[in-house]
Amino acid sequence: MRYRTLSNGTTSFEVSTLCLGAMNFGTRTDPETSHAILDRFVEAGGTFIDTANNYSVWSGGHGRESEDLLGGWLRDRGNRESLRIATKLGAAQKDPAKPLSTTPPTNYEGLSAEVIRRQAPESARHLGISHIDVLYGHVDDRDVDLAETVGAFGALQRDGLIGIAGISNVATWRVVEAREEARRQGIAPYGVVQQQYSYLQPAPRLGRNNFVTPGLLDYAASTGTPERPALAITAYSPLHQGAIARRDQPLWGGVDHPTSRARRDLLHDIAGEIGATPNQVALAWLLGGEVPVIPVIGASSVAQLNEALGAVELDLDAEIRARLDAESGESR
């Protein structure tokens, strides 16, 4: 395993360069398998685990199954102090009688101070921990004043309930403004932003704010100074939910276009040449980029996890990276 430091200018700690996503643990992935995956991740040196308070609501769950499973596992293993736990709030159901949606009406609780104050301790309770290392706003909320949201996260940091605050599914300009608002309030800014990101990238579209963009990468690269505290990027769906490894899987989320299909073919070609898998090449491309990100990997079996772990020390040489980048979205 390899490691990097997360920081918001005030709080800093080390995390593994792969983050294990626990979204389906306790629901689609049964407890026994979930525990085996978690055990293998820790055995391999993994320290960073990611969940949320609304997972699996869309498949009949109550939303906190993964937090509950993690809490039980942490208690049983007694390894809380060696791990960094991230969870999210703000996208749980506002009205339990209505479904969640990624398009309006979303039925999200949102990021008001009241929601943040109420839901953060509840997540800690379900996780069985006294301190949440990273707490994200799950989806940016433009209906609440940024000063209110940022101030509420700052209060949690001041009270010691969370270490580093973050935001997810957000436009880059909103990240910048939120961090400037934190500076005005004299509190630590967002230190992490989580967006969707993989080797398959969507065509640009106004309003598509959930993907990593070149502008976000450029902004993150500019951070890490006293005047501009560090900002790390974590990437969900880095393997595009199986569509990278399996060419019979449909492409979704705006990436179904000829360039993506050419990029997927190239991943398979290069994987064959270097004796790796397409998934490993895709993860290595993210890990070794000019602005490296932390992939959040989902695994439903130990075998899937082991494949992903094989990417950690797969260093793509300059010629391979040049070939991969030549098929970038910039060529469209």
Side-chain angles (χ1 to χ4, degrees), residues 225-239:
T225 67
E227 299 76 23
R228 189 177 289 175
L231 178 71
I233 299 173
T234 58
Y236 69 86
S237 297
L239 301 177

Side-chain angles (χ1 to χ4, degrees), residues 195-328:
Q195 299 283 88
Q196 187 173 344
Y197 194 33
S198 79
Y199 184 65
L200 308 183
Q201 299 168 21
R205 178 176 63 77
L206 183 66
R208 180 175 282 136
N209 297 320
N210 60 315
F211 273 81
V212 170
T213 64
L216 178 61
L217 292 169
D218 190 38
Y219 176 65
S222 77
T223 66
T225 67
E227 299 76 23
R228 189 177 289 175
L231 178 71
I233 299 173
T234 58
Y236 69 86
S237 297
L239 301 177
H240 211 73
Q241 298 184 2
I244 281 179
R246 293 183 53 184
R247 282 181 272 201
D248 61 331
Q249 288 283 92
L251 299 175
W252 52 275
V255 305
D256 188 7
H257 51 73
T259 299
S260 283
R261 289 187 284 276
R263 286 166 76 82
R264 181 166 59 180
D265 288 343
L266 182 60
L267 281 176
H268 283 252
D269 291 344
I270 287 175
E273 293 171 18
I274 67 175
T277 69
N279 282 341
Q280 288 170 339
V281 176
L283 290 172
W285 180 80
L286 292 170
L287 289 164
E290 185 176 352
V291 183
V293 303
I294 299 174
V296 181
I297 54 169
S300 59
S301 68
V302 172
Q304 287 183 356
L305 174 61
N306 283 333
E307 180 189 15
L309 290 169
V312 173
E313 296 190 11
L314 176 60
D315 295 318
L316 303 175
D317 65 32
E319 185 271 334
I320 292 292
R321 292 203 69 92
R323 287 171 62 192
L324 290 167
D325 291 339
E327 290 293 334
S328 72

Side-chain angles (χ1 to χ4, degrees), residues 16-332:
S16 53
T17 54
L18 283 184
C19 179
L20 180 61
M23 181 171 71
N24 293 321
F25 289 0
T27 51
R28 292 177 61 185
T29 305
D30 65 77
E32 182 179 0
T33 303
S34 300
H35 289 171
I37 293 168
L38 287 160
D39 288 341
R40 173 61 185 134
F41 184 64
V42 170
E43 177 187 54
T47 62
F48 197 14
I49 303 173
D50 180 274
T51 187
N53 73 347
N54 76 330
Y55 284 153
S56 294
V57 165
W58 44 84
S59 57
H62 59 70
R64 293 190 183 272
E65 285 89 348
S66 62
E67 287 186 335
D68 289 337
L69 183 135
L70 279 174
W73 176 79
L74 289 167
R75 183 179 61 252
D76 291 346
R77 300 300 187 265
N79 58 0
R80 165 66 183 107
E81 295 308 311
S82 63
L83 301 174
R84 299 299 181 182
I85 306 299
T87 192
K88 310 176 196 74
L89 52 74
Q93 289 167 293
K94 184 175 183 179
D95 182 347
K98 296 179 180 178
L100 294 175
S101 172
T102 57
T103 57
T106 61
N107 194 32
Y108 295 149
E109 281 192 308
L111 296 177
S112 68
E114 187 277 329
V115 167
I116 293 169
R117 284 195 300 264
R118 172 167 48 85
Q119 292 289 14
E122 191 66 5
S123 281
R125 185 179 72 81
H126 280 264
L127 287 162
I129 59 180
S130 60
H131 175 83
I132 299 169
D133 297 297
V134 177
L135 181 66
Y136 297 95
H138 203 154
V139 180
D140 186 31
D141 184 355
R142 298 194 187 187
D143 293 330
V144 174
D145 190 88
L146 265 178
E148 179 179 340
T149 298
V150 168
F153 278 114
L156 294 180
Q157 291 175 113
R158 183 184 61 243
D159 294 344
L161 182 61
I162 69 173
I164 296 177
I167 189 67
S168 182
N169 299 300
V170 62
T172 300
W173 70 267
R174 292 275 291 177
V175 178
V176 177
E177 291 220 351
R179 282 165 56 90
E180 283 299 299
E181 176 59 32
R183 182 183 60 79
R184 287 189 289 270
Q185 293 189 26
I187 58 180
Y190 293 147
V192 193
V193 58
Q194 184 172 126
Q195 299 283 88
Q196 187 173 344
Y197 194 33
S198 79
Y199 184 65
L200 308 183
Q201 299 168 21
R205 178 176 63 77
L206 183 66
R208 180 175 282 136
N209 297 320
N210 60 315
F211 273 81
V212 170
T213 64
L216 178 61
L217 292 169
D218 190 38
Y219 176 65
S222 77
T223 66
T225 67
E227 299 76 23
R228 189 177 289 175
L231 178 71
I233 299 173
T234 58
Y236 69 86
S237 297
L239 301 177
H240 211 73
Q241 298 184 2
I244 281 179
R246 293 183 53 184
R247 282 181 272 201
D248 61 331
Q249 288 283 92
L251 299 175
W252 52 275
V255 305
D256 188 7
H257 51 73
T259 299
S260 283
R261 289 187 284 276
R263 286 166 76 82
R264 181 166 59 180
D265 288 343
L266 182 60
L267 281 176
H268 283 252
D269 291 344
I270 287 175
E273 293 171 18
I274 67 175
T277 69
N279 282 341
Q280 288 170 339
V281 176
L283 290 172
W285 180 80
L286 292 170
L287 289 164
E290 185 176 352
V291 183
V293 303
I294 299 174
V296 181
I297 54 169
S300 59
S301 68
V302 172
Q304 287 183 356
L305 174 61
N306 283 333
E307 180 189 15
L309 290 169
V312 173
E313 296 190 11
L314 176 60
D315 295 318
L316 303 175
D317 65 32
E319 185 271 334
I320 292 292
R321 292 203 69 92
R323 287 171 62 192
L324 290 167
D325 291 339
E327 290 293 334
S328 72
E330 295 174 1
S331 66
R332 286 200 298 273

